[in-house]
Amino acid sequence: MTSLLAVPKRLLLGRARPSSREEDTLLPKRLALPVFAADPVSSVAYATQELLVILALGGVATLVLAPEVALAVCVVVAVVVISYGPLVRAYPGGGGSFAVASRNLGPRAGLVAAAALLVDYTLTVAVSAAAAIDNLVSVLPVLDSARIPLAVAAVLLVMVVNLRGRREAGWSAMLPVYGFVLVIGVLVVTGLLRWAGGDAPVAASAGYEVVRDTDLTTVALGLIVLRAFAGGGAALAGVDAIANGGPAFRRPKGRNAAVTLLGVGGMTIALIGGVVALAVISGVTVTRDACDLGGLPEPCETFTQQTVLAQLAEAVFGPGSVGAVLVAVVTVAVLLAAANSAFNGFPLLAATLADSGYLPRQLARRGDRLAHSNGILVLGLGAVAVLLVLEARVGPLLDLYLVGLFTSFTLAQVGMARHWSLRTRPGWRGPRAGPRAGMALAVVAAVCTGTVLVVLLLTKVPNGAWASVLVMVVVGVGMQRIHGHYALVADEVALPDDDATEAMPARVHAVVLVSRLHRPVTRALAYARATRPSTLEAVTVASDPALAQELAEEWARRRITVPLRVLDSPYREITRPLVEHVRSLRARGPRDAVTVFLPEYVVAHWWEAVLHNRSNIWLRARLAATPGVMVVSVPWQLASTLADGDLAARAAGERSLVQEATRAGAADSDRDPLG
């Protein structure tokens, strides 16, 4: 049967790859860097903006602290990046925070880390898509009304690219990442050179003022600074994806992942520092709500704020210039490529969890292109759902995103501290200097990320980020239930030590389901007799008494030896009477078994499947749930599905099947029952 999706699937994804080519899908450093760097590098576009947006709440009093807050963010980024180097070397098999927390802090801590990461990856894709559309709208404000469908389309585009394979996703991310680093580097250097020469660039929003109803207390200003620091922590996006993506690297996996991580961290720190410095110099002012700004050239309800990078590009290169357009293009491209990190990390983590029995086993399977297609599809659809619920707004998405991000970071670093502590105890055979330095680094990183997490819990959760915590709890409980189910099933189906054989049934009752008399039914009758059951009968359900009577008369006229039982059905049901009859056969003896033969059509085209076998689907499900009952499908291939040779062979053998199902010597046994 030709699937409706077969041709479009091949056009979108390409030809299937054999398992022997799995090594070809692994990423060398030149491809791994753009794939995993896209997320943290692109976070420059929204992490710096989030930092300035929150500082703007305090007006000039807090905006002047932007360089200090940015420096603190860069320090945290550096500490986390450096501390993750030993982590990816110690756990090159993937799993990231989940693997570290599970092995060093216990299964529950591992589940918390895994739930945080799964939610975090989903929000990473949503944030990247929403931020990309934000930067697109900055250049083309007319697209603001189409923000949601554009963001959804962006997610689906990235999802399809990743379904084509890991290397294809790497090549698609290479140009955007390297182009973004180059263009933003030129932007920052040009702006700083102009400032050093006395011609500092001035942003279009430099003359706007932040409107506040009341003055803020010192405590409130301090909380704003802490919130800005925590918001800038979005620059750590994608760091854990490298730890989870260890299996995607070529050997030596741990070393290549650690080198990639250091390169990504260095680029991210340089870009954040440069962008924040240039934003302060040019006087960029940005808020989440345009109505919080004073001095706008038009009513705030119709005013579209530009992103920080768009404002800097126009301030440095000029409005409408080639440089400003180029900045917008590479920013949108790198934000779309940023989702590649999540589309690499989420499926690998989901596969690890599935292998451990915490997620459905289907997530561990590879698709036609040797990618974990099921995980990619789940991530893409989850991100689309989040975008629809939060209307593709970056601010609310970041509030949810940051809680999961720093939860996984903190658990990973606490787990690494435990990892190193075991190697400094008496009895450890090996050098102690390395483990002690590693433990000190992990403790420092845990303090840094834990501090940010506490700030987020105090400032973000009451304002809506509680939803992220709730989803993490639901995901964690769900994984625990799945693991429990798999464990129970494994215990139930395990072979006993003393006997590996199953007792044979005392008797086997064969039942052939008949709706009308035709060649598929005679074939099913013949195959049922070939199994030599203890009893054999044909059963039809009289949902239409007139048709049932015609069938019984035709059955008798053709003198078929197999008895036909007609089940009464006053309410025109098919499934219930048949299931009750099968159960009555099963009740004749505790060791008896019943085999139900279902004649079914095999069709050539997808649309034909809608026209046939629909009642059998529900019937098979009900029968399969009945103890001691086996369901056997007897396929009848329609002529459109067979080649000429197969059709001739079937015609030659059909006479013997009919003779087997009917009395020998019957006058019409050779005739086509459909004729």
Side-chain angles (χ1 to χ4, degrees), residues 327-389:
V327 168
V329 170
V330 297
T331 302
V332 171
V334 79
L335 284 166
L336 293 181
N340 279 332
S341 298
F343 275 107
N344 273 273
F346 181 98
L348 290 172
L349 174 62
T352 300
L353 291 168
D355 287 334
S356 302
Y358 288 105
L359 285 179
R361 299 272 166 77
Q362 295 88 334
L363 293 173
R365 297 173 184 168
R366 295 182 182 272
D368 288 350
R369 302 286 290 179
L370 295 179
H372 292 95
S373 303
N374 291 331
I376 292 173
L377 290 171
V378 169
L379 175 60
L381 296 178
V384 167
V386 172
L387 287 170
L388 293 176
V389 171

Side-chain angles (χ1 to χ4, degrees), residues 22-37 88 91-94 166-167 238-262 264 344-345 348 366:
E22 182 177 356
E23 189 73 20
D24 296 341
T25 67
L26 300 182
L27 301 175
K29 289 192 288 293
R30 69 177 185 278
L31 286 181
L33 182 61
V35 167
F36 292 108
V88 296
Y91 299 92
R166 194 180 291 148
R167 288 181 67 89
V239 170
D240 213 308
I242 299 178
N244 291 326
F249 288 87
R250 286 184 177 174
R251 296 180 179 87
K253 297 179 181 293
R255 180 180 178 277
N256 288 335
V259 171
T260 301
L261 184 59
L262 289 176
V264 170
N344 273 273
L348 290 172
R366 295 182 182 272

Side-chain angles (χ1 to χ4, degrees), residues 507 509 535 537 565 581-592 594:
R507 293 183 298 174
H509 307 284
T535 63
E537 65 178 354
R565 181 184 296 271
H581 176 65
V582 169
R583 287 177 175 172
S584 69
L585 295 176
R586 176 77 171 82
R588 293 180 181 180
R591 292 182 54 196
D592 286 3
V594 180

Side-chain angles (χ1 to χ4, degrees), residues 194 199-207 278-279 281-284 311-312 314-316 319:
R194 284 184 54 183
D199 181 26
V202 179
S205 62
L278 194 56
I281 291 170
S282 60
V284 171
Q311 293 189 48
L312 292 179
E314 291 191 354
V316 173

Side-chain angles (χ1 to χ4, degrees), residues 32 36 194 220 277 338 407 528 555-556 613 662 668:
F36 292 108
R194 284 184 54 183
T407 298
W555 200 272
N613 304 327
T662 59
D668 54 356

Side-chain angles (χ1 to χ4, degrees), residues 256-601:
N256 288 335
V259 171
T260 301
L261 184 59
L262 289 176
V264 170
M267 287 191 296
T268 304
I269 291 171
L271 290 177
I272 287 177
V275 169
V276 171
L278 194 56
V280 173
I281 291 170
S282 60
V284 171
T285 304
V286 61
T287 60
R288 286 192 179 178
D289 188 349
C291 291
D292 291 336
L293 294 174
L296 298 178
E298 57 183 275
C300 64
E301 292 80 9
T302 60
F303 181 75
T304 301
Q305 290 191 85
Q306 289 184 303
T307 62
V308 169
L309 288 183
Q311 293 189 48
L312 292 179
E314 291 191 354
V316 173
F317 299 124
S321 63
V322 174
V325 173
L326 187 58
V327 168
V329 170
V330 297
T331 302
V332 171
V334 79
L335 284 166
L336 293 181
N340 279 332
S341 298
F343 275 107
N344 273 273
F346 181 98
L348 290 172
L349 174 62
T352 300
L353 291 168
D355 287 334
S356 302
Y358 288 105
L359 285 179
R361 299 272 166 77
Q362 295 88 334
L363 293 173
R365 297 173 184 168
R366 295 182 182 272
D368 288 350
R369 302 286 290 179
L370 295 179
H372 292 95
S373 303
N374 291 331
I376 292 173
L377 290 171
V378 169
L379 175 60
L381 296 178
V384 167
V386 172
L387 287 170
L388 293 176
V389 171
L390 296 181
E391 299 180 343
R393 299 291 176 180
V394 176
L397 285 168
L398 278 176
D399 287 345
L400 300 178
Y401 169 65
L402 290 170
V403 174
L405 181 69
F406 281 92
T407 298
S408 62
F409 282 156
T410 303
L411 286 172
Q413 296 308 323
V414 173
M416 283 304 294
R418 169 75 173 171
H419 168 85
W420 291 121
S421 70
L422 296 176
R423 286 155 179 76
T424 60
R425 295 182 178 181
W428 164 252
R429 296 180 180 180
R432 296 184 181 275
R436 286 174 179 170
M439 185 172 64
L441 180 61
V443 169
V444 171
V447 171
C448 291
T449 57
T451 300
V452 178
L453 178 60
V454 171
V455 173
L456 288 169
L457 293 175
L458 293 176
T459 60
K460 301 285 187 182
V461 170
N463 294 324
W466 56 267
S468 180
V469 178
L470 178 61
V471 173
M472 284 190 289
V473 171
V474 171
V475 171
V477 172
M479 288 192 294
Q480 196 169 23
R481 295 290 298 274
I482 291 172
H483 188 266
H485 170 76
Y486 279 138
L488 288 175
V489 170
D491 290 341
E492 182 176 341
V493 302
L495 288 174
D497 296 333
D498 54 343
D499 186 8
T501 61
E502 186 76 17
M504 292 184 63
R507 293 183 298 174
V508 176
H509 307 284
V511 175
V512 178
L513 180 62
V514 179
S515 58
R516 54 195 179 95
L517 189 53
H518 47 37
R519 293 165 74 182
V521 167
T522 60
R523 167 177 284 189
L525 290 171
Y527 287 164
R529 293 185 66 177
T531 63
R532 302 187 180 278
S534 305
T535 63
L536 171 61
E537 65 178 354
V539 174
T540 187
V541 179
S543 57
D544 186 327
L547 293 178
Q549 180 63 29
E550 291 179 8
L551 175 63
E553 293 174 356
E554 178 76 358
W555 200 272
R557 185 177 68 82
R558 292 183 178 272
R559 290 180 291 175
I560 298 178
T561 57
V562 178
L564 174 68
R565 181 184 296 271
V566 180
L567 302 179
D568 187 33
S569 180
Y571 297 102
R572 301 162 302 283
E573 294 179 286
I574 295 177
T575 303
R576 184 191 297 271
L578 182 64
V579 171
E580 290 178 351
H581 176 65
V582 169
R583 287 177 175 172
S584 69
L585 295 176
R586 176 77 171 82
R588 293 180 181 180
R591 292 182 54 196
D592 286 3
V594 180
T595 303
V596 180
F597 292 83
L598 299 179
E600 294 185 337
Y601 291 110

